[in-house]
Amino acid sequence: MIVLIAAAFAEETVTVPLAVWEEHVRAVPVGPAPVATIGSATYADTADPETMTLDLTATLQVALTGEGRKVVPLFVGDVVVTAVRANGEPVPVSVADHGYVWTTDRQGPIELQVDALVPVSGQRGSLEYDFEVPPTPITRLELVLPRPDVRPEVKGAVSAEITT
């Protein structure tokens, strides 16, 4: 009997006067779409001398605008995120599109700190770290490698400064 009632309601139509509909549409606030913009990012670490694993700390300057949920991409690739803090407070992260993301409804400027482990990858005898970071206007990578024979090469870098 409930199924028949639901079916009967599904076929009904409701007529709303145009003036009422227009008043309702005008009453719904329309604001800017929710957006998360990463203005700058710094990735800093010292590689472990034995395993050469990076215990990376990323600091992201993020601007959150508009009402609603915003998604901030963190890392994609062979990375294990161990902690994320927004303005110093721990926040949960999730995995989406093969990478770590932080989802929030907050607004305003936020400083995100992301702790992650990056293992060595590549063929035998080579030291490579394979991970992607979100594109930003300003990105800095500061690595201290414990072996002087290791010369870093960062794909896509506009400039690189290497000191011994």
Side-chain angles (χ1 to χ4, degrees):
M1 186 158 156
I2 294 175
V3 174
L4 296 175
I5 293 171
F9 280 112
E11 295 176 12
E12 295 292 326
T13 58
V14 176
T15 304
V16 178
L18 181 59
V20 172
W21 175 254
E22 287 176 344
E23 184 178 320
H24 173 72
V25 170
R26 273 189 243 119
V28 175
V30 177
V35 176
T37 305
I38 303 174
S40 67
T42 301
Y43 302 88
D45 179 44
T46 299
D48 181 274
E50 291 182 26
T51 65
M52 293 301 289
T53 299
L54 299 179
D55 190 0
L56 199 62
T57 298
T59 304
L60 310 173
Q61 303 300 325
V62 182
L64 304 170
T65 57
E67 294 285 333
R69 307 291 285 166
K70 298 154 217 51
V71 177
V72 181
L74 303 175
F75 281 105
V76 175
D78 195 13
V79 176
V80 176
V81 171
T82 58
V84 178
R85 294 171 301 286
N87 292 340
E89 297 179 20
V91 293
V93 295
S94 57
V95 176
D97 296 327
H98 308 292
Y100 290 93
V101 297
W102 175 52
T103 305
T104 183
D105 58 358
R106 295 184 193 187
Q107 292 187 24
I110 300 282
E111 181 178 272
L112 278 180
Q113 288 184 321
V114 183
D115 296 332
L117 297 173
V118 183
V120 174
S121 63
Q123 297 181 5
R124 181 181 242 191
S126 71
L127 294 173
E128 296 178 17
Y129 302 100
D130 188 18
F131 63 96
E132 294 179 37
V133 297
T136 61
I138 302 168
T139 303
R140 293 182 53 94
L141 174 64
E142 300 171 3
L143 292 179
V144 177
L145 301 171
R147 294 181 19 202
D149 61 328
V150 176
R151 303 298 293 173
E153 181 180 316
V154 180
K155 293 180 184 175
V158 175
S159 66
E161 179 181 324
I162 300 169
T163 58
T164 301

